[in-house]
Amino acid sequence: MSPQRPDTHIHEQKGDASISFLRSRIDELDARIIGLLQHRARLAAQVQRERIHRGGTRIAAGREAEVRRRFSAGLGPTGDAVADAVLLLCRGAADGDASRRPSDDVADRGGERRADL
């Protein structure tokens, strides 16, 4: 086995520094994304409470479909999965139960769904 050339070692160190820098930028973006998702969840909770106060369901299936379309248009094939994760995160924001689905709300209202809210 031949010893590693010194210039190769320097190149690897520069590459490691570049990767570290890029990873730190990704970490910064992750922190911002988390903050934005937390903010979105708070806003979704306000919308849910207001909709329920007006006699509607907690979840508006039509609105969720709009969100999925926007994410798919912006992110391509993986947009649906990202939208589903975001919606799931924010869906339980009003009562802390992120496991509920739109069908749960229909059952809670005796099968009635008000699309106007």
Side-chain angles (χ1 to χ4, degrees):
M1 190 187 286
S2 64
Q4 191 174 24
R5 292 185 3 212
D7 59 338
T8 303
H9 182 69
I10 292 170
H11 180 68
E12 287 175 0
Q13 287 177 337
K14 286 181 183 179
D16 289 345
S18 175
I19 289 172
S20 294
F21 171 76
L22 293 171
R23 285 181 176 160
S24 71
R25 295 297 312 263
I26 289 171
D27 293 345
E28 291 170 11
L29 289 171
D30 287 346
R32 289 171 52 193
I33 291 167
I34 290 166
L36 290 170
L37 288 170
Q38 290 169 335
H39 184 74
R40 188 189 193 287
R42 288 190 299 272
L43 292 173
Q46 291 175 338
V47 169
Q48 290 171 19
R49 283 190 296 272
E50 185 62 27
R51 205 170 40 238
I52 290 168
H53 177 74
R54 294 179 183 191
T57 60
R58 191 169 61 89
I59 295 169
R63 171 69 178 154
E64 288 196 355
E66 289 174 31
V67 171
R68 282 187 187 89
R69 280 192 295 275
R70 251 193 335 270
F71 273 75
S72 291
L75 299 174
T78 60
D80 274 347
V82 174
D84 285 341
V86 169
L87 291 168
L88 181 62
L89 174 73
C90 297
R91 190 176 286 150
D95 62 5
D97 183 6
S99 65
R100 292 177 58 97
R101 296 177 308 278
S103 58
D104 297 334
D105 288 309
V106 174
D108 290 349
R109 302 249 181 251
E112 294 178 29
R113 178 174 289 216
R114 288 190 52 193
D116 60 323
L117 298 176

